[in-house]
Amino acid sequence: MTAITLTVNGKTVSADVEDRTLLVHFLRDQLRLTGTHVGCDTSQCGCCMVHLSGRAIKACTLFAVQADGESVTTIEGLAAKDGTLHPVQAAFQEHHGLQCGFCTPGMIMMATDMLARHKNPDEDKIKKELEGNLCRCTGYLNIVKAIRAVAEA
Amino acid sequence: MYPAPFRFTRAKTIEEAETLFGKSQDARYLSGGMTLIPTMKLRLVAPEDVIDLNAIPGLSFARRDGDRLVVGARTRHADVSASPEALQAIPALIHLASHIGDPAVRHRGTLGGSIANNDPAADYPSAVLALNATVKTSRREILAEDFFTGMFSTALEEGEIVTSVSFPIPRRAGYAKFPNPASRYAMVGVFVADFGHTLRVAVTGAGPCVFRHTEMENALTKNFTPETAKAIRISPDGLNGDLHGSAEYRAHLVGIMASRAVEAALA
């Protein structure tokens, strides 16, 4: 076991973790932040996407001990304290950017990262940036629409 | 999926990392972890020690050094992609780095990790070989020609750590790959580098290890056009055939990717 201290959604968290614990399991099982999903568990689907010190990463492909001293933002950390949705969350709702919703947290974490790196991504750019996020409902059309709407706003 | 238990240690210096490695019965270095972690989760490898290189300072940079571009081994693909120095020196390298995997992979994966792993379908080995780069390690300097020795194998000794790669800046260069639609690894990737006095073509994804194509180099030296590249018949002998594509298909792709790489170099 290793003692780690990190910031999760703005709060300092200290915990003992087994060295082999993946960040996604630490978030879900120890911190009960179950918005971060385990989809493929093979680094492909992006359902486990979180931000590690401001960058989108796949939480199934990082050990929790690697996040020691870093800050992590999960889907639970996006909305304002009063419950007001983050603009990307609001756009996904408005444009129905989801079907079953399983991939949605990862899609939204990727979208916020993408919009931080690109000022006004066009449809083609958005699709390329979503390379690492899979929607098994194939509901991509409205996901792209939702992200475009935020980019244009 | 949980990997088998191991001991995690964050090294603060290269020397400390090498010492830890030497003391362990079975250690692995962790850089970006984009291959190591999935491989550990599948229990294809189960090291006793994982030595993390991510806290070692001075390994993440891209800077011009005379007629060369030097890139730190832990420079992540996203940082190479966004580097103004790299863009100015070797735009083809930016193109390559910005098409590895997906954005989340590029936020973690590193140049040093990619070449030390030497996956036959990885992108970076083609740039290192075509640009005739020098790989700097914790112990010595290794020429690209001597670095890649076979499938997943390199000239690195046990415990040796890649610290940077020094790329000679070509007059013009281009990279084109046909990505596997699922993994985005190169089914075939071709890097063409024209230095004026010499011209080098390196092919990744097609064979068990990155290789130079001398016939293509000779033809392009005489006539640097996409048509020249496309006209060369590539033998499927020794190329990879798998469920993604036959050796014949990959042989065909070598010519096509080479012609696109030339096109990119001319653009």
Side-chain angles (χ1 to χ4, degrees), chain B:
Chain B
M1 286 185 286
Y2 274 72
F6 60 87
R7 192 169 41 231
F8 177 90
T9 316
R10 205 177 249 186
K12 299 286 190 302
T13 63
I14 292 280
E15 294 72 30
E16 188 194 357
E18 284 201 303
T19 306
L20 288 164
F21 195 100
K23 280 185 190 157
S24 172
Q25 293 298 311
D26 178 20
R28 290 283 178 138
Y29 290 128
L30 174 63
S31 185
M34 295 297 98
T35 297
L36 181 63
I37 298 175
T39 316
M40 287 174 69
K41 287 170 71 182
L42 292 169
R43 304 208 179 192
L44 295 169
V45 287
E48 196 171 280
D49 283 283
V50 170
I51 300 159
D52 183 19
L53 305 178
N54 285 279
I56 300 173
L59 293 179
S60 178
F61 61 86
R63 62 170 172 255
R64 184 78 178 247
D65 181 12
D67 57 356
R68 302 178 84 95
L69 175 76
V70 186
V71 182
R74 215 194 45 246
T75 315
R76 304 193 195 277
H77 309 326
D79 294 326
V80 172
S81 309
S83 157
E85 287 84 0
L87 178 64
Q88 206 257 327
I90 316 176
L93 198 64
I94 301 273
H95 176 79
L96 178 149
S98 62
H99 286 80
I100 299 173
D102 60 54
V105 167
R106 296 194 288 271
H107 281 156
R108 294 300 304 170
T110 66
L111 167 63
S114 170
I115 65 168
N117 188 49
N118 194 20
D119 189 301
D123 297 280
Y124 265 131
S126 67
V128 172
L129 188 60
L131 291 166
N132 197 16
T134 303
V135 179
K136 296 190 180 170
T137 78
S138 50
R139 299 172 196 175
R140 57 193 165 135
E141 294 190 356
I142 308 170
L143 280 173
E145 212 69 63
D146 305 320
F147 185 81
F148 303 106
T149 53
M151 189 183 256
F152 290 109
S153 54
T154 66
L156 291 170
E157 295 163 357
E158 278 294 296
E160 189 172 10
I161 301 169
V162 177
T163 54
S164 68
V165 179
S166 171
F167 296 96
I169 297 170
R171 210 173 63 162
R172 54 192 175 186
Y175 179 66
K177 77 164 160 176
F178 190 93
N180 177 305
S183 71
R184 299 287 144 185
Y185 270 100
M187 295 270 295
V188 169
V190 178
F191 201 105
V192 174
D194 181 9
F195 290 91
H197 51 290
T198 51
L199 186 147
R200 293 164 67 102
V201 176
V203 181
T204 189
C209 179
V210 65
F211 62 90
R212 281 174 66 186
H213 203 289
T214 37
E215 194 191 339
M216 183 84 76
E217 290 176 355
N218 294 337
L220 288 174
T221 302
K222 289 191 199 97
N223 194 7
F224 196 70
T225 64
E227 293 72 29
T228 309
K230 218 183 276 183
I232 300 211
R233 289 276 150 255
I234 311 287
S235 162
D237 293 348
L239 298 190
N240 299 336
D242 55 29
L243 81 164
H244 304 299
S246 62
E248 289 73 18
Y249 183 61
R250 281 192 167 83
H252 174 70
L253 282 180
V254 171
I256 304 290
M257 291 306 115
S259 73
R260 288 185 192 169
V262 171
E263 232 168 78
L266 290 168

